[in-house]
Amino acid sequence: MTARQGPDGGGHRFPAVSVLAVSWGLALTALVLMGVADAEWDATQWFFVVDTSDAVVYGLVAAVVLSRRAHPVAWLVALTAVGGGVAAVTAQVLALWARDAGPGASVPSWSVLQGTAWVPGTLALVLIVPYLVSEHAPSPAVRTAIGAGVVLVAGLVAVRLADPWPWPEGEPIAPLAVRDSGWADLVVPVQRTLLGCVVALGLVAAGHAVRRRLRDPAGRGLGWLAIGTALVALTFLPLVLFADEGTAALRLFTPLTHLASQAFFPAAVLIVVLRQRLWGIDLVVSRALVWWLLTGLLVAGYFLTVAVLGLLLPSDGGLGRVLATAAPAAGIQPARAWLQRRVDRLVHGEAAAGALSRVGRHLGSAPGPQEALTGMAENIAASFNLGSVHVLDEDGTPQVTVGDPEGLEQLAVPLVVRRRAAGTLLVTARPGERLDRRARTALDEVAPVVATAVHLAAITRELRESRGKLAAARDDERRALRRELHDQLGPALAGIGLGLAAARNQLPAGSPADPLLARLRTEVDARVEEVRVLARGLVPPVLAELGLVPALRELVMRHEADGLTVVVHADSDTGRADGGPVPREVAGTVYAVVAEALRNVVRHSGARTCTVTVRGGPDADDVLTVSVEDDGHGITPGARPGVGTQSLRERAEALGGRIDWGPGEGSHGTRLVLRVPFATCLPAAGERG
């Protein structure tokens, strides 16, 4: 049911202005005619007040909606306004005619408009509009309910147009009057029956709004729509039960409650439209809506109090009028303050102070700068009721995107830190809306906080890149050192050992130099083995050839000689912790962390068993997790981390990961956990095996 916008994207200005001019023109004409006619004030005049109020109030609502969308709801509301205006003008013209025509004159045929013009629009508000206040296509059940409402409205209009009154005493005024005595006797019962159906189907529409509110957490404001629909439907109940019977106060109850409900229902419709941002209603109705709601509440309070007290108190009505005046007056200021706060938040979102408070709380609890930036953008979009939020860095590279800004006009808010551009905050209003001055001012107030977060994220990225380059350079140096040890120093020492053996073979038996050469050969062989162990520790061959998990299994076997039992657990289905998919930088860091942790377990924990667990993959929170847990006596309270611990922490952070130490399961022993983001573990295309 999305309607076409005007060429300027601002809606349909001409229809909106036309509807407002016609409805308010009819209301003004009716008021002028009322002053000229000076008719006696009775129940009929109260219905005139209802019709005039419909023209004023619903004319404004229709103009507001039509200014943004030519939606069916807008046209039905416009029909209500124009129909009420026509009925009000007809009532006063009829009063003038009665004053001048004298007794016995035939009632003119055009007077039928007084009781018929208001019917289509007013009943459509109860039977059709509640189903159409949505951006979703109606379901078959909803279409059936709308069809039943259309048939009921058409039936009631047809009955009124076919009413033969005042036949047979005079000529019927209805254009389609059926001159039949049987039909004349059935007109009133049929009308009461149809109005009873209006009440029933109106309550069904209210129940449907309640059901939508309960099923859809985003269906904000539907509770108000349900209340408004039910109130309007119930105002027809006295016409069903009593018609023109009962006391004067009871006859007044219908127009007065109808007037009160008609002051509430349009506000309920606008609340739904504004809270759900339907059809792109302008953001310029806050004060008008407050005035309207407050006026409606006062009018409703006054007339309901008068009607109820008129039924309960003596007929002089003096005490009732005093109480009716005092009760609304006592609540006017609290009601105004409450309404102003609610409507401001409804239309504009949170104030800048509230938004800053939410952003600040998220900034303090976010695990990292990028997460803080993302949460900040989401909070800004929610706080200011924005369609989208784009955060760009100083190079124009998108950092965070919330919502879909495509095809919408964007507002650029510069982000500045220490008089230097840190980026840009691009925001858009929701479809069909525009950002007013208040929203722009609030965004300017929030911009410094966003700029700080963007600057912090940029610094963090640079730091991580720098650490990553350092880690890569360090790994390259370790590999180069391993090659030198393995290919140069190791063979050189082995050659020296062979030379010593050859020299010893050249000596005669029993030479005094033979023991010395033997000791030198033994010492050289020991140094060769140490060089091999050192080279293997720098970059284990099994790590480069077979992958991380086999390297860890080979590592833990060396600690069994120290009396420590180490068990390695790794996911068998992840494909991430068992070989090639883990890039060498990550594998080297994990290996170094586990090696350092096992050395600490052997040296300081007094543990007998230790468990190394490797978990990771897309189904594991997108994180590669490695834990080392022992059953020793744990970390001594007050112990300070050593150089090796700090080095491992820096290496983990260089990969965007983190290391945590804590007590093991059951508060026994020590548990070290290394977490590296899954994205970091994805190797470049050229590094995949």
Side-chain angles (χ1 to χ4, degrees):
M1 296 187 298
T2 302
R4 178 181 57 85
Q5 290 193 17
D8 60 350
H12 297 67
R13 301 290 175 83
F14 180 75
V17 174
S18 300
V19 168
L20 187 63
V22 171
S23 59
W24 282 21
L26 289 171
L28 180 60
T29 302
L31 292 173
V32 172
L33 291 175
M34 181 188 69
V36 175
D38 193 22
E40 181 181 356
W41 198 267
D42 55 11
T44 302
Q45 290 294 78
W46 279 113
F47 281 109
F48 159 76
V49 173
V50 173
D51 293 334
T52 306
S53 300
D54 287 350
V56 174
V57 173
Y58 287 106
L60 177 61
V61 175
V64 170
V65 178
L66 282 174
S67 67
R68 304 306 302 171
R69 290 288 190 277
H71 195 274
V73 169
W75 292 116
L76 291 175
V77 174
L79 179 62
T80 305
V82 175
V86 170
V89 170
T90 304
Q92 297 309 313
V93 173
L94 186 60
L96 282 172
W97 174 87
R99 187 188 66 180
D100 298 335
S106 298
V107 180
S109 60
W110 48 262
S111 63
V112 72
L113 292 174
Q114 179 183 359
T116 307
W118 62 270
V119 173
T122 302
L123 297 188
L125 295 179
V126 182
L127 304 176
I128 300 174
V129 168
Y131 298 106
L132 298 182
V133 182
S134 172
E135 286 190 333
H136 302 290
S139 63
V142 170
R143 286 196 292 268
T144 301
I146 293 175
V150 172
V151 171
L152 187 56
V153 172
L156 191 55
V157 172
V159 169
R160 288 184 176 249
L161 294 179
D163 187 355
W165 183 88
W167 182 84
E169 287 77 10
E171 283 297 315
I173 64 172
L176 303 177
V178 178
R179 292 176 172 84
D180 181 81
S181 58
W183 169 244
D185 294 335
L186 288 175
V187 168
V188 173
V190 169
Q191 287 194 64
R192 294 174 71 169
T193 301
L194 292 177
L195 288 175
C197 294
V198 169
V199 175
L201 291 183
L203 294 178
V204 170
H208 179 264
V210 172
R211 181 170 176 266
R212 287 167 56 195
R213 178 65 183 90
L214 296 177
R215 295 183 62 181
D216 185 6
R220 298 172 295 180
L222 288 173
W224 293 102
L225 179 63
I227 295 173
T229 303
L231 288 177
V232 176
L234 290 174
T235 57
F236 293 100
L237 193 58
L239 297 178
V240 177
L241 300 178
F242 306 107
D244 293 330
E245 306 166 1
T247 63
L250 186 58
R251 289 195 298 272
L252 285 175
F253 186 81
T254 296
L256 294 181
T257 54
H258 197 72
L259 181 63
S261 65
Q262 294 293 60
F264 181 88
F265 183 80
V269 172
L270 275 188
I271 286 175
V272 177
V273 171
L274 288 172
R275 295 199 70 177
Q276 296 191 29
R277 299 296 164 190
L278 300 180
W279 321 322
I281 294 301
D282 260 332
L283 299 182
V284 295
V285 298
S286 176
R287 294 180 181 176
L289 186 57
V290 171
W291 174 86
W292 184 11
L293 286 171
L294 186 57
T295 302
L297 288 176
L298 289 176
V299 171
Y302 181 79
F303 286 123
L304 285 176
T305 306
V306 169
V308 172
L309 293 180
L311 297 173
L312 300 178
L313 297 179
S315 59
D316 60 10
L319 179 59
R321 285 193 295 271
V322 172
L323 293 177
T325 303
I332 183 171
Q333 184 57 35
R336 184 193 181 284
W338 182 81
L339 285 173
Q340 184 68 60
R341 290 193 302 269
R342 295 299 296 263
V343 171
D344 281 343
R345 184 171 182 179
L346 172 70
V347 176
H348 298 287
E350 294 184 4
L356 283 172
S357 177
R358 290 183 58 182
V359 169
R361 288 195 300 269
H362 184 85
L363 186 61
S365 60
Q370 190 62 34
E371 291 81 359
L373 199 57
T374 302
M376 188 177 299
E378 293 172 349
N379 283 329
I380 291 174
S383 299
F384 298 135
N385 295 328
L386 299 174
S388 68
V389 175
H390 245 359
V391 180
L392 312 179
D393 62 13
E394 58 182 338
D395 298 326
T397 304
Q399 300 299 312
V400 175
T401 299
V402 176
D404 184 12
E406 184 177 357
L408 301 175
E409 182 180 357
Q410 294 181 335
L411 170 64
V413 180
L415 304 177
V416 181
V417 176
R418 297 178 182 176
R419 300 182 180 180
R420 294 184 57 186
T424 305
L425 179 66
L426 295 179
V427 301
T428 63
R430 300 197 183 208
E433 299 176 1
R434 68 171 183 264
L435 296 172
D436 60 2
R437 183 178 302 175
R438 176 173 178 176
R440 295 168 185 259
T441 302
L443 288 170
D444 288 337
E445 295 180 9
V446 176
V449 180
V450 182
T452 302
V454 172
H455 184 60
L456 179 61
I459 292 177
T460 303
R461 285 194 303 273
E462 293 176 358
L463 181 60
R464 286 181 175 176
E465 291 175 1
S466 176
R467 286 183 173 177
K469 292 178 181 178
L470 289 175
R474 181 166 50 195
D475 289 340
D476 290 340
E477 291 178 358
R478 292 166 69 92
R479 291 184 180 87
L481 183 58
R482 175 182 178 274
R483 286 194 298 268
E484 292 180 359
L485 292 175
H486 184 272
D487 299 337
Q488 298 181 22
L489 183 58
L493 291 176
I496 293 174
L498 292 175
L500 292 173
R504 183 183 179 191
N505 291 334
Q506 297 296 325
L507 294 176
S511 171
D514 184 69
L516 177 60
L517 292 175
R519 287 195 302 272
L520 289 175
R521 172 65 188 275
T522 302
E523 187 69 21
V524 169
D525 290 342
R527 300 291 80 78
V528 169
E529 184 60 27
E530 289 181 359
V531 168
R532 290 175 179 172
V533 172
L534 182 59
R536 190 167 53 243
L538 287 172
V539 181
V542 67
L543 180 64
E545 296 171 3
L546 300 180
L548 177 61
V549 172
L552 293 178
R553 298 189 189 280
E554 189 270 341
L555 173 66
V556 301
M557 291 176 59
R558 289 185 246 154
H559 292 277
E560 294 182 351
D562 300 324
L564 178 66
T565 302
V566 185
V567 180
V568 177
H569 296 294
D571 288 344
S572 59
D573 57 348
T574 177
R576 187 148 310 286
D578 58 355
V582 179
R584 61 185 185 183
E585 291 83 0
V586 176
T589 298
V590 172
Y591 185 88
V593 168
V594 175
E596 178 67 20
L598 292 177
R599 281 194 293 269
N600 290 335
V601 170
V602 172
R603 295 173 183 174
H604 310 296
S605 70
R608 296 181 179 179
T609 61
C610 182
T611 302
V612 178
T613 305
V614 181
R615 297 282 185 267
D619 297 329
D621 298 329
D622 290 339
V623 172
L624 177 66
T625 303
V626 180
S627 65
V628 180
E629 184 173 354
D630 63 67
D631 61 354
H633 51 67
I635 300 175
T636 304
R640 301 177 61 182
V643 175
T645 300
Q646 184 63 28
S647 175
L648 293 180
R649 186 189 299 274
E650 292 177 356
R651 294 191 65 177
E653 291 176 352
L655 298 174
R658 55 183 294 184
I659 292 182
D660 296 312
W661 284 269
E665 187 176 354
S667 299
H668 298 293
T670 304
R671 187 169 186 259
L672 177 149
V673 180
L674 167 67
R675 295 181 178 88
V676 181
F678 175 67
T680 305
C681 301
L682 293 177
E687 295 177 344
R688 294 184 184 271

